[in-house]
């Protein structure tokens, strides 16, 4: 039975790394199935990032939504909520602003989209030397299992007809990563989106996923399809990890579905 058509938004979070965002948007231009819109969640970047967004909005000819707020520390959850509020799509594929996508990334996600689930995709880590080459040259060769300069290369395999093997039934929010995540906008609204009280790096994706699971939305782990490649960068500050982990564990403990300060409050 053919799926009912639905619209798809590509949600990209970014902060003051315009060269990486340029690579991400270049990979978006090469998709075999273009998203219906691109939504940029900008956590306080400067004019160089704005110029990159304007450039690709002109080149790609599809709607671009740019959510921005002033730089006041790591407020990724808040800006993601603001960005989703601008979206007009039924289904949202979320990546970070340092994720280069396989040309069939969007097409693969659409093929696996189902009501009642959200998808956690995999990523291949790009090592520092190759990341530097990508950013300096402004171009990137296709990455595959045999490529030099990558880690966890098992994730670089694309074998779509076998990808169902990795759809795990265990409903565990841990190790959820917003760098390759897909969900229905209605489900996002149902759990009130990301929790705005998270500041600093750590656990915001896990906590969001936990509320989706608590709401009865099943987590599906996807490999060998919807491939993407994570550019190397220094680790974010972990000063808020303990406080954020506590918020996440409270969601688990009390089986929370919605948060008090989320999508509806922006």
């Amino acid at each position: 039975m053919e799926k009912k058509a639905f619209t798809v938004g590509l949600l990209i979070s970014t902060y003051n790394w315009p060269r990486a965002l340029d690579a991400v948007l270049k990979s978006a231009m090469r998709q075999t199935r273009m998203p219906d819109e691109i939504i940029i969640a900008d956590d306080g970047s400067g004019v160089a990032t704005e110029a990159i967004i304007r450039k690709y909005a002109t080149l790609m000819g599809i709607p671009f939504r740019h959510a921005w707020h002033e730089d006041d520390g790591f407020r990724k959850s808040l800006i993601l909520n603001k960005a989703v509020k601008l979206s007009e799509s039924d289904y949202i594929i979320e990546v970070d602003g340092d994720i280069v996508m396989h040309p069939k990334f969007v097409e693969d996600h659409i093929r696996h989209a189902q009501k009642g689930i959200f998808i956690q995709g995999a990523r291949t880590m790009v090592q520092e030397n190759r990341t530097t080459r990508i950013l300096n040259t402004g171009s990137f060769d296709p990455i595959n299992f045999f490529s030099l300069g990558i880690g966890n290369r098992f994730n670089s395999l694309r074998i779509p007809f076998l990808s169902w093997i990795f759809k795990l039934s265990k409903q565990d929010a841990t190790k959820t990563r917003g760098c390759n995540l897909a969900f229905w906008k209605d489900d996002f609204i149902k759990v009130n989106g990301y929790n705005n009280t998270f500041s600093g790096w750590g656990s915001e994706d896990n906590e969001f996923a936990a509320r989706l699971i608590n709401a009865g939305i099943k987590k599906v782990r996807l490999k060998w399809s919807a491939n993407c490649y994570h550019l190397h960068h220094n680790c974010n500050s972990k000063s808020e990890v303990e406080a954020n982990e506590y918020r996440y564990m409270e969601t688990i403990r009390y089986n929370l579905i919605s948060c008090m300060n989320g999508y509806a409050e922006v």
Side-chain angles (χ1 to χ4, degrees), residues 118 120 171-177 181 187 191-195 198 203-219 244-259:
F118 70 101
Q120 172 65 78
Q171 294 305 293
D172 185 353
T174 60
K175 297 185 179 179
T176 300
R177 297 183 178 94
L181 193 66
D187 293 336
V191 301
N192 205 19
Y194 280 91
N195 189 332
F198 278 72
S203 296
E204 69 277 357
D205 298 320
N206 289 343
E207 196 273 341
F208 169 58
R211 284 184 283 109
L212 286 172
I213 292 169
N214 291 344
I217 312 303
K218 302 296 185 183
K219 180 180 180 179
N244 288 342
E245 179 70 10
Y246 176 81
R247 294 185 182 99
Y248 167 46
M249 295 311 298
E250 289 290 279
T251 295
I252 298 292
R253 179 183 178 187
Y254 293 108
N255 199 36
L256 300 179
I257 291 174
S258 183
C259 58

Side-chain angles (χ1 to χ4, degrees), residues 112-169:
H112 287 279
Q114 297 177 40
K115 288 291 187 177
I117 72 167
F118 70 101
I119 290 176
Q120 172 65 78
R123 59 180 175 171
T124 296
M125 306 301 291
V126 183
Q127 295 170 357
E128 185 172 5
N129 287 345
R130 183 155 191 169
T131 294
T132 300
R133 187 163 73 250
I134 289 170
L135 297 181
N136 285 345
T137 63
S139 64
F140 42 87
D141 299 324
I143 296 174
N144 58 53
F145 183 80
F146 301 102
S147 297
L148 298 176
I150 63 172
N152 62 339
R153 63 183 60 246
F154 181 75
N155 288 343
S156 68
L157 290 169
R158 182 177 180 274
I159 315 176
F161 68 93
L162 291 179
S163 60
W164 63 269
I165 293 172
F166 294 94
K167 291 186 176 182
L168 305 183
S169 59

Side-chain angles (χ1 to χ4, degrees), residues 77-86 185-197 208 211 257-266:
S77 292
L78 177 60
I79 198 59
L80 284 170
N81 283 331
K82 290 179 177 179
V84 173
K85 203 142 231 183
L86 299 180
K185 185 176 179 182
D186 284 349
D187 293 336
F188 186 91
I189 295 171
K190 180 178 181 179
V191 301
N192 205 19
Y194 280 91
N195 189 332
N196 294 329
T197 63
F208 169 58
R211 284 184 283 109
I257 291 174
S258 183
C259 58
M260 297 292 292
N261 184 2
Y263 173 84
E265 284 67 46
V266 299

Side-chain angles (χ1 to χ4, degrees), residues 10-14 21 24-25 38-42 95-97 101:
L10 180 64
L11 172 62
I12 306 170
S13 59
T14 190
L21 182 61
V24 175
L25 290 171
I38 288 181
I39 317 113
I40 306 291
D42 185 348
V95 299
D96 288 342
M101 294 165 282

